Amino acid sequence: MDSLHERKLIIATAAMGFALLTAACSSPKVARNDVDTSTKSVAEATNSGAPELASAEMSTAQEKLAQANKALADHHYKDAQALAQEAQVDAKTAEAKANSIKAQQAAAALQDDIRALREEIARNEAGGQ
């Protein structure tokens, strides 16, 4: 009975070890997909004006994407996947920051237009009296 219990324990331990090893490894296809997705995210952030409006975040995204591509080329798929995911988050952050700044600028311009219209109305009312 003890040997049966020991065998089951060994099999269970081996299965857990294999599962952990499999989970720790990333396939080339998954890593490539993540790098491709991050590349698109960096391009979208670039098109949103992030290089000018969120340069620090954009630089970080570009650096991590370059590192992910290097890791992918070196067959370090787990590192490539992790770096690509980080690059994507950084690119999305840069894009969001750029969009936020543009929205703030548009709101400020609208406020300026409203102020100018109010001043013109006030002048017209004062001149008409």
Side-chain angles (χ1 to χ4, degrees):
M1 188 104 156
D2 266 2
S3 69
L4 179 61
H5 179 69
E6 288 174 5
R7 275 190 259 155
K8 285 182 180 180
L9 185 59
I10 290 171
I11 291 171
T13 303
M16 283 178 43
F18 181 74
L20 287 173
L21 181 62
T22 303
C25 296
S26 179
S27 73
K29 184 177 180 182
V30 172
R32 167 55 40 205
N33 286 342
D34 283 352
V35 170
D36 289 346
T37 300
S38 296
T39 300
K40 290 175 188 168
S41 294
V42 168
E44 290 169 2
T46 299
N47 292 336
S48 76
E52 297 82 22
L53 300 171
S55 60
E57 294 85 354
M58 195 67 204
S59 292
T60 301
Q62 291 169 328
E63 288 169 13
K64 286 182 183 174
L65 181 57
Q67 292 171 357
N69 276 308
K70 182 176 181 336
L72 188 64
D74 293 342
H75 306 288
H76 298 145
Y77 302 119
K78 184 178 176 186
D79 292 340
Q81 187 176 6
L83 287 163
Q85 290 170 353
E86 289 176 22
Q88 183 179 9
V89 169
D90 292 334
K92 294 291 184 186
T93 300
E95 182 178 6
K97 184 175 180 180
N99 288 337
S100 175
I101 290 170
K102 288 191 286 187
Q104 289 171 355
Q105 290 170 342
L110 185 58
Q111 288 294 332
D112 288 344
D113 290 346
I114 291 170
R115 183 188 43 76
L117 286 171
R118 285 184 178 155
E119 288 173 0
E120 186 175 335
I121 290 170
R123 278 193 305 271
N124 288 339
E125 288 176 349
Q129 291 180 358

